Amino acid sequence: MAEEQGIEAQLRDAAQLSGAGWAVLAERAGGNWTIRATYRLTKPAQILLATYFNRPTMDTWLCGALTGGHIRSSSLSEESKWGVGRIFAFPIAGTSQAILVGADEQTPEAQRTWRLVASLVSSRAVAVSQTFLPDLQTGLAYELPVALEKILNSFVQMVACHGAWLAIRRGESLDILAEWNDPKAKGLSLPIDTSPVLRRLNRSLADVAVHRGLSNWEDIPQASLKSSTKVWACFPLVIGQRLIGAVAVWRAKDFSSVEWQELRDLAARVAPSVEVVVTFSEMTGHLRRLGMLNDFVLTVSSAQNLDQIARRVFALLSRAFGTELIVLYLLSTDGRLLRDYRPLDGKLTIVSVALTGHPIQPILREGKLRRVSDVPANDFSPIHPEARSALIVPLKYRGQSIGVLSIESTRTKAFSQYDEHLMVVIGSHMAGLVEYGRLREEAEGRARSLGLIHEVVQQVIGLTDKPGVAQITADLLAQYFKYELAMVMLLDDDLRPTIQGFGGTRPEVVKRALAEMGLSAVDGITGRVLKTGESILVNDTSRDKYYKAIKGWDAGAEVCVSIKDGDRVLGIIDVQSANHNTFSNNDLMALESLGGILASVVSSADQYQRLQELVRQLRTTEIELKARMEAQQDAEHRLIQAAKLAAVGEMAAGIAHELNNPLTTVTGFSELVLDEMPEDSQQRQELEMVLREARRASDVVRRLLDFSRQGERTRTRADLNEVVEDVIALTNHLIRTNGAQLALELEEDLPWVSIDRNQMKQVLLNLIHNALQAMPGGGELLVSTSTCRRDDRAWVTMTVRDSGVGIMSKDKDRIFEPFFTTRGDVGGTGLGLSVTYGIVTDHGGTIEVDSNPGEGSAFKVWLPI
C-alpha cells in the first residue's frame, strides 16, 4: 500500500509538470489489464478505462509497447469521456507494466519527465534475471492460471517478442493455459500426433525453430501470427524423459545465440515449477471432489424428498465442475414418463415428458456410463447445444435403470477418469436415495388419496342429495390435489348428466361453456367414458382423438373415470390440468377408488354395509403403510444388534455352555469342603483361592452375557477409561490365548464423555476382535486413550493398534461398508466395522484408520468432550 501511494505521488507530480489530464499505472496479468495506481480519475472513469484497455485492438497496441520498449501514442475517440484527445504509453522495462498518460499533447520535455518516472518505477521492480521463476510463496501462486502466467512473463521479459504462449500436456494434446499478446490462443488444445512440429518436439525433447519462407512454416500449430513474424520457436518443458509442456515465442527477427541459450536454460529451470503447480492443481481438484463426496453424504443424504435431492445435488455438482448444464431424468414407476429436473436462473424446474421418442431413452435402456471429452469429434448429441463435453451417469437400483444424471460443460475434456469413478459412487448412492424418496412420495400420495377418500366418505355417507354429493366430491378433489378443474357428473333418471359438481380454479369458465353448448354436446373424453364405462388417462390432449376443447379452457392433460354399479354407469369423475404429463397411474387408481365409493353412495342405501367394509379396508391399508415404515426403523435397529451378536454371540454362548455348569459345581463343592475343613488346615488357603477364582470366572461369564443381551440405548456421562478396563477384563483371556501381548496406555484424569456405555463397549470389542483376527500368530496389541484438540474443539481419543497383517490400500475405502469382509471363508460377517462406524458417528465422533500391508493397523476413535 505504501509503495502504491508513492507511485501515485510520482504520477501527480509528473502530471502537474507535464500538463497531463490524468495518468495511471497499468499492469497486464492473467491476460487482462489492471489499473494499479491513478491520478485524477474517478472510480467510474477507472472502470471505463480498464474496459477500454482490454479491447483486443487496444490490448495488442499496449503489448506492442511493452515488447518494443518504446513510447507510443494514440488518439482517443471523440465519444470518450476522459477529457483528453490522446493517450501516451510509457513502458516500464523488465515488467508487464506501463504508465499511461491522457493529454492533448506532450512535448519532448514532458515525455522525458514521464520516461524518468517509468525508470524510477522500474528500479523498484526486481531485476529480470531474478524473476525467471515465479514466487510460489506469495499470493495465489498455486492457482494454475496465475502461476503459469507468471512463468510465461519470465520468458517475455527475457527477450522482446510479438507474442508467446505456455501449454500443459494432457494426454496426447498440449492445452494452452497462458498467453502473451495472443488472446485467441488461450484455451486451444493442440493434438501432438497431427502436428509435425509438436511431434518432433515430443520425440526429440529438444527446442524447435521455424522460419518464415521455409517449407515447414505451414506446420506451425497456430494460425494467428502476424505477417511481420519471421521466426517461431518452441521450447519443451521436460522432467526426466517426459514432456510435461511447452513454451512458444515468436517475433520479427531471429534470436541471437545468447538469447536462444537463455531461453533454453529458462525452460529447463521452470519445468520443475510447472510440474509442481500442475500437480498441486490436480491434487486440489482431487481434494475438492473428495470434499464433494463428503458434502454429498452430509447434505444430500438428509434430503426429505426428490426436489430437495435434486437441488442439493445440482448445487454440489455445480460447485465441483463449474457448470450449470446439469439435468436429472427420473423414470416414472409405470415406465411411461420422465421427470426432467434442471437448474434454470438459480431455480429448480421440473417437467414431466413422455419417454417414447425422447433422446435420453436409448441411454436409459443401455444403462452404461458415458464420458464424452469432445462432443463434435464423437458425433454425440448433447442436451445443451453449447456443451462441448459430457458425463452421463445412469442411476440403477437393484440392477434396474431408474434415471440418468447428465453433467455437461462448455469446455472440452472437462471431465477426467477420476470424475467418472467419483460419479459412479455418487450415482450408486443417489439411486438408493431417489428410490427411497420416490417410494416416500408415493406413500404420501397414497396416504393423501386415502385421506381424500376417507373425507369424502365421511361427508357424503348417508346423503340422498345427489347434487350435494357431486359438489362436495368436486370441492374435495380440488382441495386435496390442486387441480385446475375437478368435475363430477351424475346421471339423472333419464340417464342424462344433469347433476353436476365443479371445483378448482376454472369451474365458472367450464360451467358457462357447457351451458352454451348444451348437454347434448358433452362428448369428447367425458362422453366416451359415459358411453363405455372405461377409464381414460391422457397426458397430452393434443394427441388424443377423443379430446374436445371447451371454449375458454384448453386442457393439457385429463383423467376421467366412470362411476359404475356393476355394468351400469352412474356418472363420471373428470379432472384436468393445463400442463402436459401431469397425471400418473396412482392418480388414476385413486380416482377409480373414489368412483367406486361414489357408486356405492349414489346407487342405494342398501349397499351401506359394503361401504363400511371398504372404509375398514382403507384404514387397514393406512395402518399397514405406517407399520411398514415402523418396520423399516426396527430393521435398522436390528442391524446394529445383529452385528453385536455376530461379534460376541458365539463366544458368549460357548462360554455360557462350557463354563457355567462346571463353575457352579466347583463353587458349590468348594464351599462344602471349606465348611468342613478346619481353620488351621494347610490346604484351606489354596481352596479359598480356588473358590475366589471360580467366582471371578462366573462374574466374567455373567458380564459377558449381560453385554451380549440387547438393551435400551442410554447415554450418560462416563469415564472412557472405565469402559476400556471393563472390556479388557472381558477379553483378557481371549487376548492371552491368541498369543498377543497387551499394553494399556490410559491417560489419567481423562475428561468424561457422553456415551452409551454398552455401545462403546461394543465398539472396543469389535476393534479388539478384528485386531486379534489380524494377528493369527500372536503379536503386540496396544489400547490407549488421550485428549487433544482439533478444529478448535476438545476430543477424547481411543486407539487400538496391532502388529498384524495390515489392510491393503484398495480395501481401505470399503472396510466400513456393510457386509464387506476380508476374512473370506473364515466366517466374517462384514458388519463389525460398519456398526462401529455407525455408533461412533451417532455419538458425534469419527473413526480413522492408519494401516499398511505387513505393518499392522491402528484404529482411532474420536469422541467430543
Side-chain angles (χ1 to χ4, degrees):
M1 181 62 70
E3 182 178 350
E4 292 180 357
Q5 291 177 351
I7 294 174
E8 289 179 353
Q10 292 177 349
L11 295 178
R12 180 191 65 227
D13 295 342
Q16 292 174 354
L17 289 173
S18 63
W22 48 260
V24 300
L25 174 66
E27 180 181 13
R28 193 178 192 271
N32 294 308
W33 286 91
T34 304
I35 295 177
R36 299 300 185 191
T38 66
Y39 170 66
R40 203 182 286 172
L41 273 181
T42 63
K43 285 292 184 182
Q46 293 177 32
I47 296 173
L48 190 62
L49 190 62
T51 303
Y52 179 70
F53 289 164
N54 285 304
R55 293 179 182 177
T57 54
M58 194 63 185
D59 178 51
T60 302
W61 184 78
L62 292 173
C63 287
L66 292 180
T67 302
H70 303 298
I71 300 172
R72 281 189 174 186
S73 68
S74 174
S75 61
L76 293 171
S77 60
E78 294 181 356
E79 295 83 3
S80 65
K81 299 180 180 180
W82 302 307
V84 294
R86 299 187 67 81
I87 183 171
F88 295 81
F90 298 89
I92 300 173
T95 71
S96 299
Q97 298 178 338
I99 295 177
L100 304 173
V101 179
D104 292 326
E105 190 58 54
Q106 288 285 280
T107 64
E109 291 77 9
Q111 292 185 22
R112 281 196 296 271
T113 299
W114 287 112
R115 281 199 297 269
L116 177 60
V117 174
S119 65
L120 291 175
V121 174
S122 176
S123 65
R124 298 189 181 192
V126 181
V128 172
S129 62
Q130 296 176 341
T131 59
F132 290 163
L133 297 179
D135 184 3
L136 299 181
Q137 304 301 322
T138 61
L140 297 176
Y142 282 121
E143 186 178 350
L144 188 60
V146 176
L148 295 182
E149 192 79 28
K150 290 182 178 180
I151 293 173
L152 183 60
N153 284 340
S154 299
F155 286 85
V156 175
Q157 293 169 16
M158 173 171 286
V159 296
C161 59
H162 284 174
W165 52 251
L166 189 153
I168 298 302
R169 182 169 185 173
R170 288 176 175 168
E172 296 304 316
S173 300
L174 286 174
D175 293 349
I176 299 177
L177 301 183
E179 55 79 26
W180 169 260
N181 201 21
D182 190 12
K184 294 181 180 179
K186 192 169 185 179
L188 292 179
S189 181
L190 308 177
I192 296 176
D193 290 339
T194 59
S195 171
V197 174
L198 297 182
R199 193 164 57 244
R200 174 184 167 189
L201 184 79
N202 182 45
R203 184 172 58 252
S204 64
L205 298 180
D207 40 76
V208 177
V210 183
H211 294 80
R212 183 179 291 275
L214 299 181
S215 59
N216 61 349
W217 182 259
E218 299 300 328
D219 295 336
I220 295 176
Q222 190 173 2
S224 59
L225 299 180
K226 296 180 179 180
S227 59
S228 60
T229 301
K230 301 301 181 183
V231 61
W232 182 91
C234 190
F235 298 88
L237 303 179
V238 180
I239 297 295
Q241 294 298 316
R242 179 167 52 89
L243 179 70
I244 67 168
V247 176
V249 294
W250 56 93
R251 68 182 188 182
K253 62 179 182 179
D254 285 338
F255 298 98
S256 68
S257 58
V258 174
E259 289 176 327
W260 193 269
Q261 187 60 43
E262 287 178 344
L263 289 172
R264 182 181 295 164
D265 293 342
L266 180 58
R269 291 170 59 191
V270 302
S273 297
V274 171
E275 184 175 45
V276 168
V277 171
V278 173
T279 302
F280 192 87
S281 177
E282 292 175 351
M283 290 174 59
T284 301
H286 174 79
L287 293 176
R288 184 168 58 250
R289 284 163 174 76
L290 285 180
M292 182 187 69
L293 186 59
N294 184 59
D295 289 344
F296 179 88
V297 173
L298 294 177
T299 61
V300 179
S301 299
S302 61
Q304 298 297 315
N305 52 52
L306 295 180
D307 292 357
Q308 285 188 5
I309 291 174
R311 284 193 184 91
R312 296 180 181 183
V313 166
F314 289 163
L316 287 174
L317 297 181
S318 178
R319 289 198 305 269
F321 297 108
T323 179
E324 295 290 335
L325 309 183
I326 308 172
V327 182
L328 172 64
Y329 295 104
L330 295 181
L331 190 64
S332 63
T333 52
D334 56 13
R336 295 187 309 106
L337 300 177
L338 278 177
R339 192 184 291 187
D340 181 325
Y341 296 81
R342 65 180 70 194
L344 183 63
D345 297 331
K347 297 181 180 179
L348 178 67
T349 63
I350 307 172
V351 180
S352 294
V353 296
L355 175 63
T356 304
H358 196 280
I360 210 70
Q361 186 177 16
I363 298 176
L364 190 65
R365 185 186 303 113
E366 183 182 18
K368 294 182 179 179
L369 186 141
R370 296 184 64 181
R371 177 164 58 94
V372 182
S373 298
D374 191 342
V375 167
N378 287 270
D379 193 23
F380 176 79
S381 299
I383 298 172
H384 302 86
E386 65 271 29
R388 291 296 174 267
S389 59
L391 186 60
I392 310 297
V393 184
L395 304 182
K396 289 187 176 183
Y397 184 75
R398 295 183 177 177
Q400 298 294 322
S401 293
I402 63 171
V404 170
L405 178 62
S406 171
I407 312 171
E408 297 179 343
S409 174
T410 55
R411 299 179 291 111
T412 58
K413 300 180 181 178
F415 308 103
S416 65
Q417 187 175 14
Y418 175 78
D419 297 328
E420 181 179 329
H421 295 163
L422 178 67
M423 289 309 302
V424 167
V425 177
I426 290 181
S428 175
H429 287 286
M430 188 175 175
L433 291 174
V434 166
E435 188 65 17
Y436 173 76
R438 187 157 56 185
L439 291 174
R440 179 171 180 168
E441 285 188 357
E442 289 182 1
E444 291 174 351
R446 291 177 181 175
R448 188 165 58 249
S449 299
L450 291 173
L452 166 66
I453 294 173
H454 180 67
E455 188 162 352
V456 169
V457 170
Q458 284 187 328
Q459 295 199 28
V460 304
I461 192 70
L463 290 180
T464 58
D465 178 24
K466 289 185 178 181
V469 171
Q471 189 58 51
I472 290 173
T473 304
D475 289 339
L476 290 175
L477 276 170
Q479 173 186 338
Y480 269 77
F481 296 100
K482 309 300 181 185
Y483 297 137
E484 285 95 336
L485 177 63
M487 181 170 57
V488 178
M489 290 186 174
L490 300 178
L491 300 180
D492 58 18
D493 295 338
D494 297 327
L495 301 181
R496 299 172 61 204
T498 58
I499 305 171
Q500 302 170 0
F502 297 90
T505 59
R506 307 299 295 271
E508 297 302 325
V509 175
V510 177
K511 283 183 184 179
R512 187 165 53 251
L514 290 178
E516 293 175 359
M517 295 167 60
L519 292 177
S520 60
V522 179
D523 45 11
I525 293 177
T526 54
R528 178 73 180 174
V529 175
L530 279 171
K531 293 175 183 177
T532 64
E534 297 178 355
S535 303
I536 295 179
L537 186 153
V538 178
N539 269 312
D540 189 352
T541 55
S542 63
R543 299 185 179 182
D544 187 78
K545 61 181 180 179
Y546 297 117
Y547 176 75
K548 183 176 181 180
I550 298 176
K551 182 180 179 181
W553 167 249
D554 191 8
E558 182 175 359
V559 179
C560 187
V561 301
S562 61
I563 302 173
K564 293 195 301 183
D565 180 17
D567 294 332
R568 185 165 63 97
V569 176
L570 305 177
I572 59 160
I573 301 174
D574 186 76
V575 294
Q576 300 179 19
S577 172
N579 301 316
H580 296 307
N581 301 307
T582 304
F583 305 112
S584 65
N585 279 339
N586 287 336
D587 298 317
L588 180 63
M589 293 171 59
L591 291 178
E592 287 179 340
S593 299
L594 182 58
I597 293 175
L598 290 181
S600 299
V601 172
V602 300
S603 60
S604 67
D606 293 340
Q607 298 178 357
Y608 180 77
Q609 294 299 324
R610 291 175 54 191
L611 181 61
Q612 286 292 91
E613 178 63 20
L614 181 58
V615 172
R616 187 192 64 78
Q617 292 177 359
L618 293 174
R619 288 178 177 171
T620 301
T621 302
E622 185 177 7
I623 293 172
E624 288 177 356
L625 287 174
K626 292 181 179 179
R628 289 179 183 178
M629 296 178 69
E630 293 174 356
Q632 183 179 1
Q633 295 176 352
D634 293 340
E636 294 174 355
H637 180 66
R638 286 197 298 271
L639 177 64
I640 296 177
Q641 185 62 22
K644 181 177 178 180
L645 294 177
V648 300
E650 183 178 353
M651 181 173 63
I655 292 175
H657 179 74
E658 297 294 337
L659 296 182
N660 264 345
N661 289 338
L663 286 174
T664 302
T665 302
V666 171
T667 303
F669 278 99
S670 296
E671 291 175 346
L672 290 175
V673 173
L674 281 173
D675 289 343
E676 298 176 359
M677 181 176 289
E679 290 292 337
D680 56 351
S681 174
Q682 294 181 355
Q683 289 78 25
R684 186 175 184 86
Q685 185 175 2
E686 286 82 0
L687 192 59
E688 287 176 345
M689 182 188 304
V690 170
L691 181 60
R692 283 197 306 273
E693 292 301 313
R695 288 174 177 173
R696 189 173 66 85
S698 297
D699 184 58
V700 170
V701 171
R702 179 186 58 77
R703 290 165 63 191
L704 187 58
L705 289 176
D706 288 343
F707 178 67
S708 66
R709 296 191 186 99
Q710 181 178 358
E712 295 184 357
R713 303 176 184 179
T714 56
R715 194 171 293 182
T716 59
R717 294 181 69 252
D719 185 353
L720 191 60
N721 285 343
E722 293 183 0
V723 174
V724 173
E725 291 169 351
D726 288 347
V727 174
I728 293 302
L730 287 172
T731 58
N732 198 25
H733 177 72
L734 181 62
I735 294 172
R736 290 199 306 271
T737 56
N738 274 269
Q741 299 296 321
L742 174 64
L744 289 178
E745 296 180 3
L746 306 182
E747 182 176 311
E748 296 182 1
D749 301 324
L750 196 69
W752 285 19
V753 288
S754 178
I755 57 173
D756 184 311
R757 294 177 64 94
N758 283 339
Q759 285 191 340
M760 204 50 58
K761 288 179 181 179
Q762 179 184 349
V763 167
L764 183 55
L765 184 61
N766 285 347
L767 295 178
I768 292 176
H769 184 74
N770 283 356
L772 295 178
Q773 290 286 339
M775 301 185 295
E780 297 178 358
L781 176 64
L782 171 66
V783 180
S784 63
T785 60
S786 65
T787 57
C788 61
R789 295 191 64 83
R790 187 174 69 174
D791 300 331
D792 296 328
R793 190 173 183 182
W795 301 80
V796 168
T797 65
M798 177 176 64
T799 304
V800 178
R801 183 184 303 273
D802 64 68
S803 58
V805 296
I807 302 172
M808 298 180 66
S809 58
K810 68 182 182 65
D811 294 334
K812 283 185 181 180
D813 293 337
R814 300 190 59 199
I815 58 174
F816 295 112
E817 292 182 5
F819 307 111
F820 176 78
T821 179
T822 59
R823 296 210 290 268
D825 299 334
V826 177
T829 65
L831 288 172
L833 286 179
S834 176
V835 172
T836 297
Y837 180 87
I839 293 174
V840 173
T841 54
D842 187 53
H843 281 74
T846 59
I847 182 169
E848 300 174 348
V849 58
D850 180 17
S851 178
N852 290 304
E855 299 180 6
S857 303
F859 287 82
K860 178 178 285 190
V861 175
W862 296 71
L863 297 173
I865 297 177

